[in-house]
Amino acid sequence: MRTSPKGHRLHEKLAEMETFRDILCRQVDTLQKYFDSCADAVSKDEFQRDRAVEEEEEDFPATARSDGEYNQNNNGSKEKLCGPASPKGMNGIDFKGEAITFKATTAGILSTMSHCIELMVKREDSWQKRLDKELEKRRRVEDAYKSAVNELKKKSHYGGPDYEEGPNSLINEDEFFDAVEAALDRQDKMEEQCQTEKARMPRITPISPGDAYSTVSKHRYATKVEDMVQNHMTYSLQDVGGDANWQLVIEEGEMKVYRREMEENGIVLDPLKATHAVKGVTGHEVCHYFWDTAVRLDWESTIENFNVVETLSDNAVIVYQTHKRVWPASQRDVLYLSAIRKILATNENDPDTWLVCNFSVDHEKAAPTNRCIRAKINVAMICQTMVSPPEGDKEISRDNVLCKITYVANINPGGWAPASVLRAVAKREYPKFLKRFTSYVQDKTAGKSILF
């Protein structure tokens, strides 16, 4: 097994300490022998001195000694001179050299020990960080386990109809909102995967010329369609920026989303209005892709399925569609007439304007059922094309084109969903829908000739 550089250095330092210990033990033995020899020499010297004193007391003054062996002291007595101690057991040991070596060895041990301690402290910090990471992983796993257990309990607990949308629902508002938001997040992830697959299968749909949509069609809803068109052209294009009744809820670049709070019999009917500006596309192109049912599922991610119930004319159809269910809310369906119109200019300064209006109708082939709650809608998308003249004699390109979009929606969702949940979902989903749709139109028209 490979060792880390830090571990390798630690082993080296520990080996050095083993070597220093052996050297130190030998030095201690040597110095101990020296000290023992010194002690023996001192003992022998004292013993000889005591014997000399005793002999002096016995023989003095009879025995005369030479002045070289005795020294006169202060009180007139003579003391035997003892030469420097030279014990026989020292074997020529250099005490000063051994002391210096001993000091160097101990200094080396202390230095090595300090280095080892430093390495061990660093290693302890590293292991502490690893321990903290493992504890954090364990905490996350425990939290995920608790969350999964709680979700499982909720699913088993919310199994009955009393825990779904309804007049007697037992789910409180916060739980309802959390469940709806989680379901929408799952739908978003699935939609991302689906969009990748759709991008691999491009669909070519011809766009009809504007003249086909500029006349009033003749069918049983023709008068109502004309009234809706005139009403939207009169009121939907009015600026709401200074109106206190309208609240700006989202502003992202050129896109602004307004909402006016309104309830009827406890049901949220908040009118919504959004304005946007998209470069490189015309109003005709935007309205075409918004109205054309052949490409509806390419950009609309909330629809489960739909079908054209009746074709009233070249520019008007009746559509029935069901929307994906977002648990615990009930599933919604809608039956509406969809018409596309080119608005004729009243003077030469008016921009090229197109409109798509969708409003609820009844039809015998799509009667309401108990499976879905029938929502009522009145929606319009108004698109105005702005052209900035190119320089010189250059032809108009998509760089010279800008489409101003006004989107209005009045929707009665029906049912019993909490007002706060409906408003939160609208605030979240409408901007996403508008950005997703306009990006789709830009991708479909890129590199193609401009259609006014």
Side-chain angles (χ1 to χ4, degrees), residues 5 16 35 44 54 58 86 126 168 178 184-185 237 247 310 319 361 396 401 404 408 430 449 451:
E16 288 180 11
F35 294 143
K44 287 182 180 181
E54 290 177 357
E58 290 176 359
S86 56
S126 175
N168 301 312
D178 292 340
L184 289 173
D185 288 339
L237 291 177
Q247 302 174 10
E310 182 181 352
V319 178
V361 294
I396 295 176
V401 176
K404 288 190 174 181
V408 292
Y430 275 111
S449 58
L451 187 62

Side-chain angles (χ1 to χ4, degrees), residues 186-323:
R186 288 193 295 270
Q187 286 189 7
D188 287 345
K189 290 181 180 179
M190 294 175 63
E191 177 60 21
E192 289 177 3
Q193 297 174 354
C194 293
Q195 288 297 333
T196 303
E197 295 297 327
K198 292 174 183 177
R200 297 173 184 170
M201 299 180 293
R203 191 194 307 269
I204 300 175
T205 56
I207 301 178
S208 301
D211 294 339
Y213 299 140
S214 60
T215 58
V216 178
S217 301
K218 294 181 180 180
H219 51 78
R220 65 182 184 278
Y221 288 104
T223 302
K224 190 170 184 179
V225 169
E226 189 62 23
D227 290 341
M228 286 288 184
V229 169
Q230 295 303 323
N231 184 67
H232 283 302
M233 290 302 299
T234 302
Y235 298 106
S236 298
L237 291 177
Q238 292 179 355
D239 185 17
V240 297
D243 192 337
N245 294 322
W246 289 90
Q247 302 174 10
L248 178 63
V249 293
I250 294 290
E251 183 174 5
E252 296 181 8
E254 295 291 337
M255 182 176 62
K256 295 181 180 179
V257 180
Y258 300 88
R259 181 182 65 205
R260 182 159 53 91
E261 292 190 1
M262 180 186 298
E263 291 189 22
E264 185 176 301
N265 298 325
I267 299 177
V268 174
L269 304 176
D270 294 355
L272 181 138
K273 182 173 182 177
T275 60
H276 197 16
V278 184
K279 293 182 178 181
V281 295
T282 66
H284 184 183
E285 293 166 335
V286 173
C287 284
H288 165 78
Y289 286 110
F290 184 69
W291 178 78
D292 189 4
T293 56
V295 297
R296 181 70 50 82
L297 295 180
D298 289 351
W299 57 266
E300 177 59 277
S301 62
T302 65
I303 295 177
E304 184 176 80
N305 54 63
F306 79 99
N307 64 286
V308 177
V309 177
E310 182 181 352
T311 300
L312 299 173
S313 66
D314 291 340
N315 63 346
V317 293
I318 295 178
V319 178
Y320 171 76
Q321 66 189 33
T322 57
H323 290 265

